[in-house]
Amino acid sequence: MSKKNFALIGASGYIAPRHMKAIKETNNNLVVSYDPYDGIGIMDSNFPQADFFTELERFEDFLTSWGRDNSEKINYISIASPNYLHKSHIRLALQNGADAICEKPLVLNPEDIDTLKIIEKETGKKVYNILQLRLHPSIIALKEKVTNELKKNPDMIYDIDLTYLTSRGKWYFESWKGKEEKSGGIASNIGVHFYDMLCWIFGDVEENIVHVKTPNTNAGSFKLKNANVRWFLSVNYDYIPQEIRDSGMRTYRSITVNGDEIEFSGGFTDLHTRSYEEVLKGNGFGLDEAYGSIRTVSTIRELAPVGLEGNYHPFCKKVLG
């Protein structure tokens, strides 16, 4: 496979190093990156010769002139910018003749996907979404197990608890991540890839209920085609189980299916590279794959919380007493 040329938008963000690593490990070249913040020394250990801009206009000028002055072209633009900018940055990529590889959540609303499908058709370029849990070995094994069981019993309903706690300091709520209009809220920012994974395995959301909605915590329940799901997401350190805190950990992930814990605490560091490998082979996850999870988080933002009613996650009592 010939070496491909990449550009990167959002080069200083938390997840950007995984994109740089993926570009490097797939033996491709980062030509240029852009970020309003200029403290990105990590470029030196990955692509020290790459051009860099802090102004979007200069970055766009570079894309235009580089494509004109070189026999090669920029094949992909990777997008790791704040969530609310994804749609416009994807449009920029497609209209500059590149395919887009975008972080989750792809966009904030399902109608944004409809808009991007029109731009795909107009430009002939593709949008790929990073849905890394679909490539995690434990999740792949779970899907295979569930698929085989549903072949024998198509009406089977699984009981699932999803718990994800990842503590964040006060900075979080002063940043774009803490502002719902920019991040989409807790569910969009830290939950969307879990919802995608659950819908991928157990079917689309048929009922969506929110039990808790605070600035640092969202919790609720789903009825999927083949599962009842209780979920709890938070960036509040105080809700992490005491035994986990005592061990010095600041993150807690748990998924149980019919009471059995799914072990997926490791294996995350290489998933972006695996995602890029699939995109480069033409097997990446496109716009259609994003609809389910984006529709789900969009609905969560609109729903009023019902409190401790119905099939709520046990951790809800940590918030509501």
Side-chain angles (χ1 to χ4, degrees), residues 124-178:
K125 308 311 293 183
K126 288 283 293 179
V127 181
Y128 297 101
N129 196 188
I130 297 289
L131 300 173
Q132 68 267 40
L133 285 183
R134 296 194 188 198
L135 300 174
H136 192 290
S138 296
I139 303 303
I140 291 172
L142 175 63
K143 181 171 175 60
E144 291 175 352
K145 176 178 180 292
V146 169
T147 299
N148 289 331
E149 290 174 346
L150 290 177
K151 286 178 181 177
K152 300 174 184 176
N153 182 7
D155 298 324
M156 186 172 182
I157 302 296
Y158 296 81
D159 290 315
I160 300 170
D161 278 0
L162 163 65
T163 314
Y164 182 46
L165 308 172
T166 179
S167 55
R168 296 289 186 267
K170 294 180 180 179
W171 68 268
Y172 183 92
F173 301 98
E174 293 299 320
S175 75
W176 65 266
K177 295 183 179 184

Side-chain angles (χ1 to χ4, degrees), residues 36-55:
Y37 178 67
D38 61 7
I40 52 168
I42 192 168
M43 294 278 291
D44 292 338
S45 59
N46 288 282
F47 297 97
Q49 302 304 316
D51 282 276
F52 173 71
F53 298 97
T54 59
E55 297 169 354

Side-chain angles (χ1 to χ4, degrees), residues 8-303:
L8 172 63
I9 298 175
S12 74
Y14 165 77
I15 207 67
R18 295 192 190 179
H19 286 268
M20 295 182 199
K21 178 173 177 279
I23 294 168
K24 191 171 185 177
E25 290 185 345
T26 53
N27 193 34
N28 292 296
N29 182 43
L30 181 63
V31 173
V32 61
S33 64
Y34 156 72
D35 199 292
Y37 178 67
D38 61 7
I40 52 168
I42 192 168
M43 294 278 291
D44 292 338
S45 59
N46 288 282
F47 297 97
Q49 302 304 316
D51 282 276
F52 173 71
F53 298 97
T54 59
E55 297 169 354
L56 185 60
E57 295 81 1
R58 294 184 64 207
F59 173 73
E60 290 189 83
D61 285 344
F62 179 92
L63 295 179
T64 302
S65 61
W66 198 86
R68 185 189 308 118
D69 298 340
N70 288 270
S71 57
E72 298 180 89
K73 64 177 183 178
I74 291 177
N75 306 99
Y76 297 93
I77 296 181
S78 300
I79 298 162
S81 52
N83 301 347
Y84 71 106
L85 297 174
H86 285 177
K87 184 175 75 168
S88 61
H89 288 159
I90 291 170
R91 183 192 302 116
L92 183 154
L94 302 186
Q95 292 178 343
N96 277 276
D99 292 332
I101 301 176
C102 187
E103 261 304 327
K104 59 81 183 169
L106 183 73
V107 288
L108 296 183
N109 300 292
E111 54 266 30
D112 295 334
I113 301 177
D114 297 332
T115 299
L116 292 177
K117 290 186 89 166
I118 293 171
I119 301 172
E120 268 193 339
K121 188 174 181 179
E122 290 173 346
T123 61
K125 308 311 293 183
K126 288 283 293 179
V127 181
Y128 297 101
N129 196 188
I130 297 289
L131 300 173
Q132 68 267 40
L133 285 183
R134 296 194 188 198
L135 300 174
H136 192 290
S138 296
I139 303 303
I140 291 172
L142 175 63
K143 181 171 175 60
E144 291 175 352
K145 176 178 180 292
V146 169
T147 299
N148 289 331
E149 290 174 346
L150 290 177
K151 286 178 181 177
K152 300 174 184 176
N153 182 7
D155 298 324
M156 186 172 182
I157 302 296
Y158 296 81
D159 290 315
I160 300 170
D161 278 0
L162 163 65
T163 314
Y164 182 46
L165 308 172
T166 179
S167 55
R168 296 289 186 267
K170 294 180 180 179
W171 68 268
Y172 183 92
F173 301 98
E174 293 299 320
S175 75
W176 65 266
K177 295 183 179 184
K179 296 174 173 55
E180 186 174 278
E181 69 275 14
K182 293 186 175 182
S183 70
I186 294 290
S188 291
N189 212 35
I190 69 172
V192 68
H193 54 313
F194 292 109
Y195 304 149
D196 170 76
M197 176 268 291
L198 291 171
C199 292
W200 182 55
I201 297 175
F202 298 99
D204 291 336
V205 175
E206 298 178 350
E207 184 180 53
N208 192 339
I209 297 172
V210 173
H211 296 282
V212 175
K213 188 181 287 186
T214 72
N216 62 42
T217 303
N218 280 184
S221 58
F222 299 137
K223 180 181 178 182
L224 307 182
K225 180 181 179 183
N226 291 108
N228 293 318
V229 180
R230 303 186 299 184
W231 57 271
F232 186 94
L233 308 171
S234 183
V235 294
N236 189 332
Y237 176 77
D238 294 337
Y239 300 152
I240 294 177
Q242 188 62 49
E243 64 271 20
I244 303 299
R245 285 187 272 169
D246 289 344
S247 70
M249 300 288 287
R250 297 183 62 85
T251 297
Y252 174 68
R253 295 186 189 94
S254 173
I255 295 179
T256 61
V257 179
N258 291 344
D260 294 328
E261 185 79 30
I262 305 302
E263 173 52 47
F264 73 119
S265 56
F268 281 85
T269 56
D270 296 325
L271 292 182
H272 276 73
T273 298
R274 286 280 297 110
S275 298
Y276 272 63
E277 288 171 348
E278 293 302 313
V279 168
L280 290 162
K281 289 190 292 187
N283 300 327
F285 303 116
L287 291 175
D288 286 337
E289 281 86 356
Y291 269 115
S293 59
I294 299 304
R295 188 180 299 115
T296 298
V297 293
S298 178
T299 301
I300 288 170
R301 283 198 300 275
E302 300 302 319
L303 291 173

